[in-house]
Amino acid sequence: MSTLERDPGDGMVQVLDEEGGVVGDVPDLSEEEFVAMYRHMKLARHFDERAVSLQRQGRMGTYPPLSGQEGAQVGSALALAEDDWMIPSYREHGAALVRGLPLKQTLLYWMGDERGSLIPEDANVFTPAVPIASQVPHATGMAWADKLKNDGDTDRAFICYFGDGATSEGDFHEGLNFAGVFDTPNVFFCNNNQWAISVPRERQTASETLAQKAVAYGFEGVQIDGMDPLAVYKATTEALEKAKNPGEGERRPTLIEAVQYRFGAHTTADDPSVYREDEEVEKWKAKDPIPRLERFLRNQGILDDDRVAAVEESVREEVADAIDAAESTVRPDPSSMFEHVFAEQTPEIRRQAEEFARLREEYGDDAFVEE
């Protein structure tokens, strides 16, 4: 029985336990691929820590931290083939990095620079979606369009990321229902990090799992340990393969529920201490995906102190270089905020742009800057 054929109520799929011990089938990865997974996770964590620090110093706008979710993001993104597409929410900085989006671009985006949305053509990453679940129908539509263009066959899959809170939105239902009916090559990846801002998982649904919601749409759902990067990689690989090459009687789509936890705030505008206890946070930090993978790789003789130190040094340098590059970028003219909302400006956007230009001329730019 494949990972995807498990009943969602049978418990989470795991490969590594919380101590890094092997409890499932380890994916067939080379030593270099294991180290690359580890480095991507370390890079995502260090980038996250620096980004939060930049925001606290007033050097960047509101930012959504990802710490704790590196295993889910990196493990799933590494499973993607070169031609596959990734449709993110607003927190998938680690996954986008794996796909080739430069850290500089992510920084520019959260600094309020529209040029941060300029994604390399070969990355196959859609722009971030801040409205909750709005990207789900987009992902379904992209997958359906690709299937139609290829006369019902396709060699590409489309993975869509969203949080547990998104499963309460109509866009989630519409996107998954459409995917089931039209059998689109989608993997719907739910980052269940236990909190939708301040709303806990148990207030989202009375369902035992989020994965079992797939049953209503006619395709498979699987619940995995989202803080186990090898379990994530294994389940995502199988789901992507089924999306592109389903077996007889199989539907292409899959819903993956990756159970995990965000260690920090929902965004830097949030204070999680108001709605959750420190004891809860510490319990989940014991499941941290990075030391879990590191212990496994040390036990396999793949990592040692010298190799870990080299990874950490290279990660610090890469993040520092990205910050320097972003902060040395000449800031855009404020009027550019109106230029990329639509391919052609609508009358309303044009009216707003004209009003903004009038106010700048009348009062000067200093009037818009808080002291």
Side-chain angles (χ1 to χ4, degrees), residues 10-268:
D10 287 346
M12 294 188 298
V13 174
Q14 268 191 333
V15 174
L16 301 179
D17 62 21
E18 294 175 18
E19 301 302 318
V22 177
V23 294
D25 295 331
V26 175
D28 185 18
L29 296 172
S30 68
E31 180 174 319
E32 290 72 20
E33 288 171 324
F34 277 124
V35 173
M37 178 182 288
Y38 175 74
R39 186 184 185 280
H40 277 303
M41 291 168 63
K42 294 282 282 188
L43 179 57
R45 175 69 59 86
H46 184 62
F47 172 79
D48 196 60
E49 293 168 347
R50 289 297 310 276
V52 171
S53 177
L54 290 174
Q55 193 280 332
R56 298 304 190 214
Q57 297 171 53
R59 296 159 65 186
M60 191 165 70
T62 300
Y63 169 79
L66 65 82
S67 288
Q69 302 187 209
E70 297 90 347
Q73 291 196 22
V74 172
S76 59
L78 284 174
L80 294 166
E82 184 177 350
D83 289 337
D84 293 336
W85 270 86
M86 166 187 159
I87 300 89
S89 66
Y90 48 83
R91 202 185 304 275
E92 277 72 47
H93 327 308
L97 171 66
V98 172
R99 293 296 289 166
L101 182 68
L103 291 176
K104 173 188 172 183
Q105 298 302 105
T106 300
L107 289 167
L108 288 176
Y109 180 90
W110 293 105
M111 288 174 173
D113 191 329
E114 288 290 342
R115 289 169 295 184
S117 296
L118 186 60
I119 297 171
E121 290 187 6
D122 59 353
N124 285 8
V125 177
F126 206 60
T127 51
V130 176
I132 304 303
S134 64
Q135 73 276 22
V136 179
H138 298 162
T140 302
M142 291 171 69
W144 189 41
D146 190 70
K147 184 180 175 184
L148 290 175
K149 286 176 65 177
N150 290 281
D151 297 322
D153 199 6
T154 180
D155 57 1
R156 292 196 292 192
F158 297 76
I159 189 169
C160 179
Y161 294 95
F162 50 89
D164 44 297
T167 64
S168 293
E169 297 287 338
D171 282 347
F172 169 82
H173 163 73
E174 292 154 9
L176 271 69
N177 189 58
F178 200 102
V181 171
F182 291 93
D183 197 26
T184 57
N186 283 110
V187 176
F188 298 102
F189 196 98
C190 178
N191 285 302
N192 175 10
N193 66 13
Q194 311 306 312
W195 291 93
I197 308 182
S198 59
V199 178
R201 153 66 179 85
E202 59 267 21
R203 297 295 297 274
Q204 292 295 340
T205 179
S207 299
E208 182 180 353
T209 71
L210 298 177
Q212 71 193 63
K213 291 179 179 288
V215 176
Y217 305 117
F219 53 82
E220 290 172 315
V222 60
Q223 186 185 62
I224 64 175
D225 184 345
M227 302 180 87
D228 173 359
L230 300 190
V232 172
Y233 178 86
K234 177 180 173 63
T236 308
T237 298
E238 292 185 17
L240 291 167
E241 176 60 25
K242 181 168 70 73
K244 291 177 273 193
N245 298 294
E248 186 175 353
E250 285 188 321
R251 308 294 290 175
R252 294 178 185 268
T254 303
L255 171 60
I256 296 176
E257 176 192 357
V259 179
Q260 58 202 275
Y261 199 79
R262 60 168 165 84
F263 294 160
H266 172 73
T267 71
T268 48

Side-chain angles (χ1 to χ4, degrees), residues 338-349:
F338 301 102
E339 295 174 2
H340 306 291
V341 182
F342 295 99
E344 297 181 9
Q345 285 190 349
T346 63
E348 175 60 21
I349 294 295

Side-chain angles (χ1 to χ4, degrees), residues 293-306:
L293 180 62
E294 182 176 325
R295 284 191 288 266
F296 166 74
L297 295 179
R298 284 180 179 273
N299 290 338
Q300 298 297 311
I302 295 174
L303 282 184
D304 57 23
D305 290 347
D306 290 341

Side-chain angles (χ1 to χ4, degrees), residues 265-286:
H266 172 73
T267 71
T268 48
D270 170 44
D271 179 6
S273 67
V274 174
Y275 54 82
R276 65 186 194 186
E277 301 294 331
D278 290 344
E279 182 181 357
E280 175 185 309
V281 179
E282 292 306 312
K283 181 190 77 171
W284 281 93
K285 282 188 174 181

